[in-house]
Amino acid sequence: MAVSFGTGRRLARGAILASVLLAGQALALAPEHETRRLMLATEEAVVAEKWGEAAEYLNRLQQLEGEKPVDYYFFRGRMMLQSSHLNEAQSALETYVARAGAKGAHYQESLKLITDIEKARKESALAPQGAGEPERVAVIEPAGDSRVASLRKLYLADSDREALTLHINSLLELSGWRHDQTVVRLDRPADVEYRLSSQGSEIQIQEIRRGDDGRVRRSTEPMSVFGINPRVEWRCEPAISTCWVYDPRDGSRLFQLALNRDQAQEIADTLGHLIRAVQAPSDS
C-alpha cells in the first residue's frame, strides 16, 4: 500500500518520538541507584559549601521511598544547622550518631556539631520554660514572618505551603513513635509515622502503623482547614514515653510522637503555619 510523503514524515516523527521516550525510560535509574547518585551529589555540594544545591538534592532524597542511607542524616543535620533550624539539625545528627556509631565517618564531627547546637540554644534562650506546665500551644507569628521565608529558601519552594509541607514531613520522619523505648533501633522504621500533603483547602494526613508481624497499615484522613484556628496544642507524657500533637478541630490526639519536647513543639508550630498557609487563597 502506498504511503504519502506527508504521512511517512508524520510516521517517522512518531517513531523518533517513541524511541526518545523509550530511551528515557531505559535510562531511568532504579531507586537504589538514584539514592546513591543524589547522596554523592549532596556530599559534593556540602563539601563545596554550595548550600542551595545541597538543599535541592536533600529535598529530592527526602521524597524517595525506602530507608535512607545513614549519611543522609548527617548531611541533613549540616544543612539544617547552616539554616539555623536547630531542633531539626540536632534530631538529624543524633539519628546519625545512633545509626552510624563510633565507626561512622562523620561520628566525631556530629558530636561536635551537637555540642555547638546546645551552646547556640543557651545563647539564644530568652527565658526558662515553666517546669510544671502540662501542655503548650504553638505560637503562630504574623503572616510572612522571617521563619517561613527562611524555610522557602531552604527548601527552594515556590510557596509557603510547599515549604511548610516539606519541613513538617522532614520533622515527622525523625519523630516516629516506637513501642519498645528501651532499645531504639533507628536503622528500622518506627511503629507509628505520619506524612502530610495538601490539595485545595485540605491537608491530607497519612498514618503508617507497623504491627509486630511486620505488616504495614496505611490510612489517610483529610483535614479541611476552613474555620480552623491555627493554634495547635501539644503535650509530652514521660510516663508513657510519648508526645502528642492535638487536632485543632476538636482537641483529639492527632500525632503520636517520640518523647522529644523540642520536636513536638516544632511539629505543632509548623502544622499551625501550614494550616494558615492552606487557608490563604493567595498561597497556592
Side-chain angles (χ1 to χ4, degrees):
M1 179 176 65
V3 179
S4 69
F5 179 74
T7 302
R9 185 165 55 186
R10 287 194 297 272
L11 290 172
R13 284 201 302 265
I16 292 172
L17 177 60
S19 64
V20 170
L21 291 174
L22 288 173
Q25 292 175 356
L27 291 173
L29 293 174
E32 62 270 24
H33 302 310
E34 179 67 359
T35 297
R36 184 57 183 161
R37 183 184 74 83
L38 291 173
M39 284 294 300
L40 289 171
T42 299
E43 182 174 9
E44 290 180 358
V46 169
V47 170
E49 297 187 353
K50 297 180 178 179
W51 301 111
E53 291 183 13
E56 178 183 355
Y57 296 133
L58 284 167
N59 293 341
R60 290 164 66 181
L61 277 163
Q62 181 185 327
Q63 297 177 59
L64 291 177
E65 294 290 335
E67 288 295 300
K68 306 293 190 299
V70 65
D71 284 357
Y72 163 84
Y73 298 100
F74 170 75
F75 294 126
R76 170 64 70 181
R78 284 287 309 276
M79 187 71 235
M80 290 299 164
L81 182 56
Q82 175 67 23
S83 303
S84 299
H85 296 288
L86 301 185
N87 290 342
E88 189 170 354
Q90 182 168 347
S91 295
L93 291 168
E94 288 176 347
T95 299
Y96 172 80
V97 169
R99 290 188 58 176
K103 295 182 179 179
H106 309 289
Y107 176 76
Q108 296 287 350
E109 185 176 1
S110 295
L111 294 180
K112 180 180 180 299
L113 290 173
I114 291 171
T115 301
D116 291 343
I117 291 170
E118 290 184 351
K119 291 179 180 178
R121 275 211 186 91
K122 291 179 181 178
E123 292 173 358
S124 62
L126 298 177
Q129 300 283 1
E133 291 186 23
E135 61 186 23
R136 305 286 174 82
V137 176
V139 177
I140 307 302
E141 299 178 7
D145 63 278
S146 59
R147 179 178 178 277
V148 177
S150 71
L151 289 177
R152 287 183 66 157
K153 182 178 179 181
L154 173 65
Y155 290 102
L156 308 176
D158 295 326
S159 67
D160 292 356
R161 178 194 296 218
E162 181 185 358
L164 290 163
T165 300
L166 288 168
H167 188 55
I168 197 168
N169 282 329
S170 181
L171 293 166
L172 289 168
E173 182 181 23
L174 299 171
S175 305
W177 184 84
R178 301 168 189 274
H179 288 285
D180 186 358
Q181 300 290 326
T182 56
V183 181
V184 177
R185 290 287 303 275
L186 292 174
D187 57 332
R188 297 179 181 176
D191 297 308
V192 182
E193 295 180 288
Y194 303 91
R195 188 166 185 84
L196 272 59
S197 62
S198 66
Q199 184 175 8
S201 61
E202 286 187 345
I203 296 174
Q204 302 289 330
I205 301 172
Q206 183 184 61
E207 181 184 77
I208 305 166
R209 287 187 174 269
R210 293 176 173 86
D212 295 335
D213 57 359
R215 300 181 66 177
V216 178
R217 181 173 61 85
R218 300 173 185 264
S219 60
T220 302
E221 175 188 1
M223 173 193 284
S224 174
V225 302
F226 180 76
I228 292 181
N229 186 335
R231 290 171 58 85
V232 180
E233 296 183 0
W234 62 277
R235 181 180 180 181
C236 292
E237 299 183 48
I240 57 174
S241 300
T242 302
C243 287
W244 305 98
V245 171
Y246 294 96
D247 194 324
R249 295 170 295 184
D250 58 12
S252 61
R253 291 170 173 173
L254 183 64
F255 298 147
Q256 183 178 12
L257 308 172
L259 184 61
N260 186 309
R261 296 179 65 82
D262 291 334
Q263 286 180 348
Q265 182 178 22
E266 181 86 358
I267 288 169
D269 179 67
T270 305
L271 178 60
H273 279 284
L274 178 59
I275 289 171
R276 191 174 59 191
V278 176
Q279 289 173 335
S282 60
D283 187 47
S284 57

